[in-house]
Amino acid sequence: MVPTGKESASRASEAEETRLNILDVATAEFADKGLSGARIDEIAERTNSSKRMIYYYFGGKEGLYRAVLERAYTAVRAMDTDHVRDQMEPDAALRDVVGATFDYHNQHPEFVRLVMNENILRGAHVGEIPGIRERNRAVVEHLRAILTRGVASSHFREGIDPVELHMTISALCFYNVSNRYTFSYGFERDMSSPKALARRRMSVIDVIESWCRR
């Protein structure tokens, strides 16, 4: 019997739900254990699927890992290029970029761990993600537009490289998650408390704006 349009749509929806469930579980596994430590069997046990379905959708562990990386980078780049900022004053837009980046890293520590793991692998898989350089260029152009408007309005000084700006924002926001436990122990300060996060968030925003200010 040929499936009806409604049945086909239902099956497609179920297939996408299964795929997303696999990606959710795999994200946690790869973030915690890295590519070498994660096991397909363990991922399958925690999903609503099976090992066979994981291979069907992703072709194997490395294919699944790349799909996890792609989704993680797609999500963060969508946050990086929020075009609502086009309607904001340039200094406010820059502060919003920094604040949103800080919040995203804090709310998605799995992204930080995935990036750390991929760097341990010396970027062996990130180059396989379709369109990653195009997405990164969009982030740079977004910052370039904010800087250009800021120079024109005398908010920002000239000569700031948007790639350097992006790197500095990422580094400051990344550190608060990547070094949270060692810093908290070494300096006896809870970096994860709401008060500490709010204070650090404002510090990072102020540092970046001060660096760019004319």
Side-chain angles (χ1 to χ4, degrees):
M1 180 181 293
V2 178
T4 64
K6 184 178 292 187
E7 289 172 336
S8 296
S10 177
R11 290 179 185 176
S13 177
E14 289 176 3
E16 181 62 12
E17 184 177 332
T18 297
R19 183 177 176 277
L20 291 175
N21 175 241
I22 293 169
L23 284 172
D24 287 341
V25 172
T27 296
E29 284 291 304
F30 287 127
D32 286 343
K33 302 173 183 176
L35 176 59
S36 61
R39 297 287 180 266
I40 289 291
D41 288 336
E42 294 179 12
I43 293 171
E45 286 178 6
R46 294 177 54 199
T47 66
N48 301 324
S49 185
S50 65
K51 184 176 179 179
R52 181 180 64 83
M53 291 304 293
I54 292 174
Y55 277 88
Y56 173 77
Y57 284 115
F58 302 102
K61 187 166 77 166
E62 290 194 353
L64 177 57
Y65 173 74
R66 286 193 291 270
V68 165
L69 277 183
E70 179 178 4
R71 187 172 72 153
Y73 273 100
T74 298
V76 74
R77 292 299 171 253
M79 177 276 299
D80 283 336
T81 54
D82 185 349
H83 290 288
V84 171
R85 299 184 187 112
D86 294 344
Q87 311 305 316
M88 302 168 70
E89 289 295 314
D91 55 339
L94 179 62
R95 293 176 71 87
D96 189 69
V97 169
V98 181
T101 304
F102 186 94
D103 293 342
Y104 189 91
H105 283 66
N106 183 60
Q107 293 161 11
H108 297 87
E110 74 283 355
F111 173 72
V112 173
R113 292 196 293 270
L114 285 169
V115 173
M116 292 170 68
N117 282 319
E118 179 61 8
N119 275 285
I120 289 172
L121 297 173
R122 300 186 179 184
H125 298 273
V126 71
E128 301 297 320
I129 299 175
I132 189 165
R133 285 182 171 171
E134 288 77 6
R135 294 189 191 102
N136 288 347
R137 281 195 286 269
V139 173
V140 172
E141 290 308 311
H142 185 65
L143 286 176
R144 191 191 307 279
I146 293 173
L147 290 171
T148 298
R149 290 196 295 117
V151 170
S153 62
S154 298
H155 283 101
F156 303 144
R157 61 185 174 85
E158 296 184 8
I160 300 171
D161 180 351
V163 176
E164 289 285 344
L165 175 58
H166 173 68
M167 192 189 321
T168 304
I169 293 170
S170 296
L172 290 173
C173 295
F174 196 95
Y175 184 93
N176 203 67
V177 179
S178 66
N179 291 52
R180 176 177 295 166
Y181 301 106
T182 53
F183 192 95
S184 294
Y185 179 81
F187 291 89
E188 300 179 281
R189 177 175 292 187
D190 182 4
M191 290 178 66
S192 62
S193 72
K195 183 178 180 180
L197 285 170
R199 182 172 57 239
R200 184 60 185 163
R201 184 182 191 273
M202 186 56 64
S203 294
V204 172
I205 291 173
D206 287 344
V207 165
I208 295 297
E209 187 182 18
S210 296
W211 183 59
C212 294
R213 191 179 299 135
R214 184 172 178 176

